[in-house]
Amino acid sequence: MNGVLSVLLDVFRQPSIIVALIALIGLAIQRKSGSDVFKGTVRTLVGFLVLAAGAGVVSGALSPFGQIFEHAFNVQGVVPNNEAIVGQVLVEYGSAAALIFFFGMIVNVALAATTQFKYIYLSGHVAFYMAAMIAVIFGVAGFSTWQVILWGSIAQGIVMTMSPAIVQPFMRKVTGTDDVALGHTGGAGIALSGLVATVTRSKRKPSKSTEDIAFPSGLGFLRDTTVIVALSMAVIYVIVALFAGPDYIQSELSNGQSYLLFAIMQAATFSAGVFIILAGVRVVLAEIVPAFKGISERLVKDAKPALDVPIVFTFAPNAVLIGFLSSFAGGIVGMVVMALSGTAIIIPGIVAHFMTGAASGVIGNGAGGRRGAVLGAFANGLAITFLPLLLLPVLGNVGLSNSTFSDADFGIVGLVLGHLSSAGGQLAVVVALVVSLVLVYGASVLMRKRAKRRTAAAETVPTEQETASVR
């Protein structure tokens, strides 16, 4: 018996096996054929191992960068990149993160089924990253393993349900429908961009749409994530290497290789690692997400799929580029402020500024035209620069690494949970989660009553046909 238990414990210490088992269960629930179940399970296992391998590549590229940055400027330089930090987190918290991801999706479906917040979060890769961060914070807070999974899953489910809800008012303006939502860990920053665009909108002289601008076709490569990550990281690496000087790099890190070539190759390696991670994530989620989509469609009436940020890109392609550049400018401004303040420096994370900045530009354009796209995305850029800085102390030893979580939701959720734990311990975290559930259901009741009043009011208004018959 002890031997069997030992084997089971070894199994549940392997995140790749846990994720593969999740895929197996999901495929079996869909009543897939034995061949499809076997294929999907193996693909998920291999995909997760690919993800882990890519994380190792990214971490390997970031390690010398951190040393070069500290030598050049005598301060800690941190690159916000979800893939990089998750790769480090999985070493210690991988099993807990996988289980929080799995049960968090169940909580999301349950909340969508029993409240007015009908959002099914289908952006599985960022949901998994959120699960990893929650696992870290609850682990640092001293929760036991089963408590990390239980309360972490509830926290995950609440975030997955409410993040799309705060963006939805602005999504309706962009898409012209209420049938689709945005599900991404940049939700808070993207919603902030819509709010800023709304506040700064001029009623007397409305700003024109970004889509009235004619951009050169030669800038189209900026919409390719792999290319923009490689080029921008190369620029950052080379600049830092120039400040550090050839002597230090060639004697301590590159084994005599040209310091500039070393910097460029490390940047390319970083981009390759991100590409590998994303490939692994796509393989894993291609098997897991469809299972939950099918389940949610059966269980949740009027469900709204919450999809990844590229869902909005087609509504305003010019705003995508404007939003990215404006968000990145916000990151540069934030970095300069940190440098002058003497804190750790958050180096603008290209992936975060590209994805959430682009979406912020589209949302800002929908709420306030060109002005809204620029100012809204700039606000997002500031948010995803300062929030990661504030998040570092909450992550324990993970916060001492050369990377951190990048998007706004990570900062908001991490800071709330982390400071609750610091102020009131585990009890404060549990009480806050219970109160959050009560508030979600309370808000749902109010929304249901408001919807009934609107329906009743609409029924009392005579139609044109009824008015004509009276006449």
Side-chain angles (χ1 to χ4, degrees):
M1 179 63 71
N2 289 335
V4 173
L5 289 175
S6 178
V7 171
L8 288 175
L9 287 173
D10 287 340
V11 167
F12 281 98
R13 289 192 185 103
Q14 295 293 328
S16 56
I17 296 179
I18 291 175
V19 174
L21 290 174
I22 292 171
L24 187 152
I25 294 170
L27 292 168
I29 289 175
Q30 294 182 85
R31 298 181 181 178
K32 295 287 187 180
S33 66
S35 174
D36 287 342
V37 171
F38 179 76
K39 181 180 70 175
T41 303
V42 173
R43 281 175 57 83
T44 303
L45 175 65
V46 173
F48 195 91
L49 293 176
V50 169
L51 186 159
V57 173
V58 169
S59 298
L62 279 177
S63 180
F65 176 79
Q67 295 174 260
I68 296 171
F69 195 93
E70 289 179 24
H71 178 81
F73 303 110
N74 199 31
V75 293
Q76 182 186 10
V78 181
V79 179
N81 183 275
N82 296 329
E83 289 77 19
I85 190 66
V86 166
Q88 299 172 47
V89 168
L90 293 182
V91 174
E92 185 175 353
Y93 298 96
S95 297
L99 291 171
I100 289 172
F101 171 64
F102 175 66
F103 291 112
M105 286 194 289
I106 294 176
V107 173
N108 174 217
V109 172
L111 288 174
T114 55
T115 71
Q116 293 295 100
F117 301 103
K118 304 295 183 181
Y119 307 104
I120 304 297
Y121 203 100
L122 296 179
S123 300
H125 60 302
V126 288
F128 182 76
Y129 302 158
M130 178 62 73
M133 187 196 71
I134 290 174
V136 171
I137 293 175
F138 280 47
V140 171
F143 284 95
S144 63
T145 301
W146 72 267
Q147 290 173 324
V148 169
I149 296 168
L150 171 62
W151 297 111
S153 300
I154 293 174
Q156 173 91 352
I158 293 172
V159 172
M160 292 171 71
T161 305
M162 299 309 297
S163 179
I166 65 173
V167 187
Q168 193 61 10
F170 305 108
M171 275 291 288
R172 283 194 289 265
K173 293 181 180 179
V174 170
T175 64
T177 178
D178 199 31
D179 296 334
V180 66
L182 189 145
H184 192 270
T185 44
I190 295 169
L192 174 64
S193 72
L195 180 62
V196 169
T198 301
V199 171
T200 57
R201 181 177 57 197
S202 173
K203 294 182 179 179
R204 293 183 179 179
K205 189 178 180 181
S207 180
K208 294 182 179 180
S209 171
T210 57
E211 303 318 291
D212 296 331
I213 303 173
F215 272 112
S217 59
L219 295 178
F221 70 90
L222 291 176
R223 294 191 175 97
D224 187 303
T225 306
T226 302
V227 173
I228 193 62
V229 169
L231 289 178
S232 54
M233 288 304 291
V235 171
I236 293 172
Y237 269 78
V238 167
I239 290 174
V240 175
L242 288 172
F243 276 96
D247 294 339
Y248 170 75
I249 296 174
Q250 292 175 186
S251 62
E252 299 292 332
L253 298 173
S254 70
N255 293 323
Q257 184 184 54
S258 166
Y259 74 112
L260 292 179
L261 178 60
F262 177 78
I264 292 171
M265 290 306 297
Q266 291 300 310
T269 302
F270 177 91
S271 180
V274 171
F275 182 87
I276 294 170
I277 288 172
L278 293 175
V281 167
R282 291 188 191 101
V283 172
V284 172
L285 298 178
E287 307 299 337
I288 294 178
V289 172
F292 276 86
K293 186 175 185 296
I295 293 169
S296 66
E297 286 175 347
R298 297 189 191 96
L299 298 180
V300 184
K301 184 180 179 181
D302 300 326
K304 298 180 180 66
L307 304 173
D308 201 355
V309 287
I311 191 67
V312 302
F313 288 1
T314 56
F315 290 96
N318 287 345
V320 170
L321 183 56
I322 291 173
F324 163 59
L325 295 175
S326 184
S327 181
F328 190 75
I332 295 294
V333 170
M335 184 177 70
V336 171
V337 171
M338 292 175 194
L340 296 176
S341 303
T343 66
I345 295 179
I346 301 297
I347 301 167
I350 303 303
V351 175
H353 284 288
F354 177 78
M355 299 301 285
T356 68
S360 295
V362 176
I363 293 294
N365 180 63
R370 298 176 190 174
R371 184 189 299 109
V374 172
L375 296 179
F378 186 84
N380 172 76
L382 290 175
I384 63 175
T385 301
F386 286 101
L387 285 174
L389 176 69
L390 299 174
L391 184 63
L392 289 177
V394 174
L395 299 177
N397 291 332
V398 175
L400 301 177
S401 64
N402 294 317
S403 185
T404 188
F405 294 96
S406 59
D407 304 329
D409 286 4
F410 292 115
I412 300 296
V413 175
L415 287 172
V416 170
L417 293 177
H419 286 303
L420 279 171
S421 174
S422 299
Q426 298 175 12
L427 180 62
V429 175
V430 173
V431 170
L433 290 175
V434 173
V435 170
S436 297
L437 284 174
V438 172
L439 291 175
V440 169
Y441 279 99
S444 178
V445 170
L446 293 176
M447 290 170 63
R448 189 177 292 115
K449 290 181 178 179
R450 183 181 300 174
K452 288 182 178 179
R453 287 198 298 268
R454 287 177 178 173
T455 302
E459 290 175 350
T460 59
V461 176
T463 65
E464 292 183 5
Q465 186 176 2
E466 290 173 337
T467 304
S469 63
V470 170
R471 290 175 180 173

